[in-house]
């Protein structure tokens, strides 16, 4: 199952809104096939695993056990049901980490397998599988994206200078890591002040991969059209209370700017099948998510710069980080919401 999880993670950032899945086929403690779901729309892990069985080993499939970290699918989507294929191949036993929360599967895959004579066991490394696919589980269970808060702060606890002038608070290695994270999430968001004053690109320029959906708050639609958010580099939502219109890949999304703004936005993201969101600030927006308890992870960089005064960094109600890492001169603390149903598993990566 560890091998399954490692294979699954190879496609991080490419399978959304599908989960990351790996599969390993074992005969008498010898791996005879393995595979993973490479990207959305491609063959699933179980099919790739069976394809990778050598011709000389195909006769062993009915005597073999497949390890897969998520319940095989039971419905026709872009690809046929994997559960049917496993019954057809007469795989002897299936060992699963997690049951699939998606309503079109949700135990139905296991039923197909059992009805087809396959022995099924679930729960092996369940917590590790839950952490790996926490975005997918949150999306289907909570009916909203998995929410990651990210900010950088000075060594004396400020997120920005008092005059809001842009400061580079982290080193190049931390910047590269941040861009890697952007490729792994479905959407990225900033507030009005950040969008206006920093003119961010909100793209992953320092790491190869998919570009996230860019989201910015602009209640009155006052952002200059020359800002990077309108450069066409990635699909973009401008959240406002003026109009709903799509122009190229820039979508002006109408939402009420009241206490329901963020919950309504999460619903729109859910409807658009955006399974995760990374919120990059500024302080007012981050604090709004924290106040509502609307977050799952917080990733906080602390640089070695001290500015003495400025805009205070947000504060979360967590005493101890899930883990801490040194990145050259910066420190990264990662917190997991204590009320989250997706707890961090020690030793695993983000």
């Amino acid at each position: 199952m560890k091998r399954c999880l490692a294979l699954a993670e190879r496609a991080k950032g490419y399978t959304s809104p599908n989960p990351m899945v790996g599969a390993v086929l074992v005969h008498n403690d010898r791996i005879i096939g393995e595979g993973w779901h490479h990207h959305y729309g491609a063959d699933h892990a179980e099919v790739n695993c069976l394809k990778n069985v050598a011709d000389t080993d195909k006769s062993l499939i009915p005597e073999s056990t497949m390890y897969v970290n998520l319940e095989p699918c039971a419905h026709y989507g872009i690809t046929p049901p994997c559960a049917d294929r496993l019954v057809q191949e007469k795989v002897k036993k299936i060992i699963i980490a997690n049951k699939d929360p998606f309503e079109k599967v949700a135990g139905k895959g296991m039923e197909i397998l059992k009805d087809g004579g396959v022995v099924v066991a679930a729960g092996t490394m369940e917590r590790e599988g839950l952490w790996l696919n926490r975005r997918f589980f949150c999306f289907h269970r909570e009916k909203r994206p998995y929410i990651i808060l990210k900010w950088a702060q000075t060594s004396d606890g400020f997120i920005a200078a008092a005059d809001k002038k842009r400061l580079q608070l982290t080193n190049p290695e931390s910047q590269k890591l941040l861009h890697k994270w952007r490729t792994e999430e479905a959407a990225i968001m900033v507030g009005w002040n950040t969008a206006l004053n920093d003119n961010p690109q909100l793209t992953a320029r320092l790491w190869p991969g998919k570009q996230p959906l860019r989201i910015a708050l602009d209640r009155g639609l006052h952002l200059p059209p020359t800002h990077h958010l309108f450069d066409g580099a990635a699909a973009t939502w401008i959240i406002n209370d003026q109009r709903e219109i799509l122009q190229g890949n820039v979508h002006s999304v109408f939402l009420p700017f009241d206490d329901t703004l963020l919950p309504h936005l999460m619903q729109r993201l859910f409807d658009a099948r955006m399974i995760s969101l990374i919120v990059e600030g500024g302080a007012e927006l981050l604090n709004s998510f924290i106040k509502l308890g609307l977050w799952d992870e917080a990733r906080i960089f602390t640089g070695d710069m001290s500015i003495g005064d400025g805009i205070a960094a947000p504060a979360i109600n967590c005493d101890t980080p899930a883990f801490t890492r040194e990145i050259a001169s910066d420190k990264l603390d990662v917190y997991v919401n204590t009320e989250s149903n997706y707890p961090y598993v020690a030793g695993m990566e983000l």
Side-chain angles (χ1 to χ4, degrees):
M1 193 60 76
K2 286 183 179 178
R3 178 62 176 164
C4 280
L5 297 172
L7 289 169
E9 197 165 23
R10 291 183 179 184
K12 195 170 191 178
Y14 290 93
T15 63
S16 176
N18 282 356
M20 294 175 278
V21 184
V24 177
L25 190 64
V26 178
H27 180 265
N28 290 342
D29 291 333
R30 180 172 70 91
I31 293 176
I32 63 171
E34 60 181 29
W36 69 95
H37 181 41
H38 289 227
H39 59 82
Y40 178 72
D43 286 337
H44 289 188
E46 299 93 326
V47 173
N48 285 328
C49 178
L50 291 167
K51 282 182 177 179
N52 288 329
V53 176
D55 289 341
T56 53
D57 287 333
K58 289 191 184 300
S59 63
L60 302 177
I61 292 176
E63 303 170 17
S64 300
T65 296
M66 180 175 286
Y67 294 80
V68 59
N69 60 289
L70 193 70
E71 176 185 1
C73 63
H75 65 294
Y76 281 88
I78 296 177
T79 60
C82 290
D84 286 347
R85 175 67 182 274
L86 295 170
V87 170
Q88 178 187 336
E89 296 282 351
K90 299 181 180 179
V91 176
K92 182 179 180 181
K93 185 175 183 179
I94 306 289
I95 296 178
I96 299 166
N98 302 105
K99 296 179 182 178
D100 194 325
F102 182 38
E103 59 185 11
K104 291 185 178 180
V105 185
K108 298 181 183 70
M110 295 174 65
E111 288 178 12
I112 290 172
L113 293 170
K114 290 176 181 177
D115 291 345
V118 180
V119 177
V120 180
T124 299
M125 296 188 71
E126 184 175 12
R127 291 180 66 248
E128 289 83 352
L130 185 66
W131 175 256
L132 176 72
N133 275 314
R134 59 198 182 278
R135 299 163 181 83
F136 179 76
F137 281 94
C138 178
F139 181 79
H140 287 286
R141 289 176 175 174
E142 321 300 331
K143 307 301 181 186
R144 64 163 175 81
Y146 185 87
I147 300 167
I148 300 166
L149 308 182
K150 172 270 165 186
W151 70 84
Q153 60 189 25
T154 63
S155 59
D156 50 353
F158 298 101
I159 196 173
D163 60 7
K164 298 182 181 180
K165 286 186 178 178
R166 188 166 188 172
L167 295 174
Q168 184 59 55
L169 302 180
T170 55
N171 63 48
E173 289 304 308
S174 294
Q175 283 293 302
K176 185 183 291 187
L177 178 58
L178 171 60
H179 282 231
K180 177 178 182 291
W181 289 346
R182 289 177 176 178
T183 69
E184 296 170 353
E185 309 308 335
I188 182 172
M189 182 179 183
V190 295
W192 157 253
N193 287 321
T194 301
L196 179 66
N197 297 320
D198 290 357
N199 187 17
Q201 296 182 57
L202 300 185
T203 56
R205 304 175 302 283
L206 304 178
W207 195 270
K210 294 171 62 179
Q211 300 295 343
L213 169 71
R214 304 184 294 190
I215 303 172
L217 298 181
D218 181 12
R219 182 173 186 172
L221 293 176
H222 297 309
L223 284 173
T226 53
H227 268 34
H228 292 307
L229 287 170
F230 304 98
D231 62 11
T236 304
W237 284 9
I238 305 297
I239 311 302
N240 71 95
D241 67 359
Q242 303 296 307
R243 64 183 182 180
E244 178 98 21
I245 188 172
L246 179 63
Q247 297 173 303
N249 65 354
V250 177
H251 187 178
S252 296
V253 177
F254 177 88
L255 287 176
F257 270 63
D258 55 24
D259 292 342
T260 69
L261 173 60
L262 293 182
H264 274 128
L265 176 57
M266 295 309 106
Q267 182 63 52
R268 288 292 295 262
L269 288 170
F270 177 79
D271 292 342
R273 303 178 74 196
M274 297 289 152
I275 71 171
S276 63
L277 171 69
I278 186 165
V279 183
E280 293 200 12
E284 184 176 349
L285 179 63
L286 289 162
N287 281 321
S288 295
F289 276 91
I290 293 169
K291 182 180 179 181
L292 291 174
L294 200 57
W295 66 281
D296 298 288
E297 281 179 52
R299 303 177 182 180
I300 305 169
F301 288 103
T302 302
D304 58 2
M305 180 188 299
S306 175
I307 60 175
D309 188 23
I311 299 171
I316 55 175
N317 189 26
C318 288
D319 296 329
T320 307
F323 70 86
T324 298
R325 180 190 302 169
E326 300 295 329
I327 304 175
S329 57
D330 297 337
K331 183 177 75 165
L332 170 64
D333 290 309
V334 177
Y335 294 84
V336 176
N337 193 332
T338 55
E339 297 182 5
S340 172
N341 294 315
Y342 315 98
Y344 173 69
V345 179
M348 295 192 73
E349 292 295 322
L350 294 179

